[in-house]
Amino acid sequence: ANLLAISPVWSPDGSRFAYTQLGGEGAGAIIVQSVATGTRQVVPTTNVGQNITPSFSPDGRKLVFSRLTEQAANLHAVNVADLCCVERLTAGRFAENLSPVYSPDGRRIAYVSNRAGSPQIYSMAADGTDQELMIPFDYGASGSSFAPDWSPDGTTIVFHREFGGSPQIVTF
């Protein structure tokens, strides 16, 4: 079987990276690989379903990712320091929650959700509470928003938003 690797992301200290390995029965496991030794670890519970867009917490102890099912795509966090304790952070059928990324202080996660229609940028506390639309809609002026990332000081988000069908880079 052909195995495909997508969505790579570095750990904060650069000693390892995480990615999604697609293959087999449509599964997409998240793998954490050491740069020095090449050792690969499968993140617990990710060997079923498709688990994509992993992102490390600033201290490197946690990963947040999106798990795709037939009903929805929800965000989960896992303790990669101890390889345990997967917890679901978002809940909702027929909604897609994708592209999570921790704030530099590790307290919040920005992500993309289509829960209110077209995909937009939301944020929540790192434990999944306090979910809110982070960047306001501007109805009619623009379309979907994707791929959020925090500035190093945590004050600004950069992302791309569609204007007239073509994506443009926006900061907020």
Side-chain angles (χ1 to χ4, degrees), residues 121-132:
I121 310 299
Y122 284 74
S123 75
M124 64 181 163
D127 65 2
T129 60
D130 189 28
Q131 297 185 22
E132 60 184 9

Side-chain angles (χ1 to χ4, degrees), residues 20-168:
T20 297
Q21 181 174 283
L22 297 172
E25 299 299 311
I30 293 180
I31 310 295
V32 176
Q33 183 169 333
S34 164
V35 174
T37 66
T39 304
R40 295 178 178 97
Q41 297 174 300
V42 177
V43 172
T45 80
T46 65
N47 54 353
V48 292
Q50 290 204 7
N51 302 275
I52 62 169
T53 61
S55 180
F56 280 95
S57 61
D59 64 7
R61 296 187 57 80
K62 286 195 160 188
L63 266 180
V64 63
F65 60 92
S66 183
R67 174 171 290 162
L68 284 59
T69 66
E70 289 180 15
Q71 290 80 32
N74 279 300
L75 301 182
H76 292 69
V78 62
N79 177 335
V80 286
D82 302 321
L83 279 180
C84 78
C85 316
V86 174
E87 54 185 324
R88 191 165 85 174
L89 302 180
T90 61
R93 292 183 58 174
F94 313 115
E96 292 185 351
N97 300 286
L98 302 163
S99 304
V101 60
Y102 282 94
S103 61
D105 65 8
R107 294 205 302 246
R108 294 198 66 79
I109 296 169
Y111 61 102
V112 175
S113 181
N114 68 354
R115 66 184 60 171
S118 67
Q120 297 297 330
I121 310 299
Y122 284 74
S123 75
M124 64 181 163
D127 65 2
T129 60
D130 189 28
Q131 297 185 22
E132 60 184 9
L133 178 66
M134 184 177 196
I135 299 173
F137 289 86
D138 49 355
Y139 288 102
S142 65
S144 302
S145 297
F146 297 99
D149 199 13
W150 298 85
S151 60
D153 67 2
T155 62
T156 306
I157 295 276
V158 66
F159 60 100
H160 76 257
R161 180 174 268 179
E162 294 175 359
F163 290 90
S166 74
Q168 304 291 321

